[in-house]
Amino acid sequence: MVIKEAKFLVSNTRVDLCPAPDKPEYAFIGRSNVGKSSLINMLTHQSKLAKTSSSPGKTQLINHFLINNEWYLVDLPGYGYAKVSKDSRESWRKMINFYFQKRENLTCVFVLIDSRHEPLKQDLDFINQLGTMGVPFVLVFTKTDKQSSIKTDATIAAYVRTLKKTWDELPRMFKTSSVDQTGRDEILKFIDEVNAQVQSQ
Ligand code: GTP
Ligand code: MG
């Protein structure tokens, strides 16, 4: 897929204020600082489309972007930022759950995982919750430029082992680096294929 146009549409905390659900939607989520916004900028080749930051917790809202006038890309606020109060963690949980349950055009969730870490309970809980809710998702292992491919593959193998204990079918997995563009072609090809499936339905 060639990205001809990528534009920011709207940020909000409410599903009913999101753009009309008339196009396939792909949402990016994961622990704070995992590289969601950077990946969106890498995919769209626009360095400042989604706001990135070296301090966690930058993205607090549901941010909609329109790509090629064909599909929506959504930057969601991250989870697991230690300095967040119990109240804001609870409001994050409510907002995200509501979004997953009510957003009728939500086509696939990209769960971003830092490729440098062993499976973390927080990520596994989140993945299992998506599975239980029946939300289609894929896994994206980020920041692969920061270590050898052997180490990245070991992280992925550990996830596969852990997920196999509870799930019969494993999700698609992608390796990415927003620094050297790893994974860009694979993810855009995947979205292209899913868009074609949605259109033919
Ligand atoms: P929140 O919105 O705070 O949840 O964070 P986020 O998940 O959107 O992360 P963001 O894209 O802002 O990136 C966080 C930090 O990681 C920034 O300093 C990025 O430059 C860095 N980063 C993101 N992706 C990569 C990557 O693939 N490689 C390297 N080396 N650094 C990355
Ligand atoms: Mg962000």
Side-chain angles (χ1 to χ4, degrees):
M1 184 198 307
V2 179
I3 304 281
K4 289 172 281 199
E5 192 186 26
K7 58 181 179 193
F8 170 73
L9 290 183
V10 67
S11 292
N12 63 74
T13 55
R14 280 172 45 191
V15 176
D16 56 328
L17 296 177
C18 290
D22 56 359
K23 294 174 181 65
E25 179 153 316
Y26 300 85
F28 288 60
I29 198 159
R31 285 195 315 128
S32 209
N33 218 39
V34 69
K36 298 174 290 294
S37 303
S38 302
L39 181 62
I40 288 171
N41 292 340
M42 183 272 258
L43 292 175
T44 57
H45 275 166
Q46 283 197 31
S47 61
K48 294 196 177 93
L49 190 64
K51 291 194 183 86
T52 63
S53 165
S54 53
S55 49
K58 182 77 191 167
T59 312
Q60 297 291 353
L61 298 160
I62 302 172
N63 299 295
H64 271 81
F65 303 89
L66 177 62
I67 314 296
N68 291 352
N69 213 16
E70 252 172 35
W71 51 281
Y72 295 122
L73 202 161
V74 175
D75 192 9
L76 292 171
Y79 51 88
Y81 176 40
K83 286 190 189 144
V84 160
S85 70
K86 215 174 169 188
D87 279 357
S88 27
R89 202 168 300 157
E90 186 54 22
S91 58
W92 175 88
R93 201 186 60 78
K94 276 197 190 133
M95 174 174 89
I96 295 297
N97 279 352
F98 202 70
Y99 169 79
F100 287 149
Q101 281 157 4
K102 300 286 177 201
R103 189 67 177 156
E104 57 201 271
N105 60 325
L106 180 61
T107 308
C108 184
V109 175
F110 285 71
V111 182
L112 275 65
I113 292 166
D114 191 321
S115 63
R116 295 170 297 171
H117 303 313
E118 286 283 293
L120 297 173
K121 183 173 183 308
Q122 229 164 18
D123 287 326
L124 291 168
D125 286 350
F126 188 78
I127 291 167
N128 286 329
Q129 197 197 343
L130 284 177
T132 311
M133 287 195 288
V135 176
F137 67 93
V138 297
L139 302 184
V140 177
F141 292 90
T142 65
K143 305 193 184 184
T144 58
D145 59 283
K146 289 197 175 228
Q147 64 179 3
S148 69
S149 59
I150 294 173
K151 285 191 174 155
T152 298
D153 289 342
T155 303
I156 296 176
Y159 267 91
V160 167
R161 272 197 307 277
T162 311
L163 293 176
K164 269 190 176 161
K165 289 181 195 159
T166 40
W167 298 99
D168 291 336
E169 228 181 296
L170 292 179
R172 276 282 299 266
M173 299 186 191
F174 298 94
K175 299 181 217 183
T176 64
S177 162
S178 299
V179 171
D180 62 22
Q181 311 260 310
T182 301
R184 185 175 186 272
D185 293 349
E186 290 82 355
I187 289 181
L188 291 180
K189 182 165 178 275
F190 170 76
I191 293 175
D192 218 7
E193 285 165 5
V194 179
N195 280 343
Q197 275 171 29
V198 172
Q199 262 168 13
S200 68
Q201 275 166 12

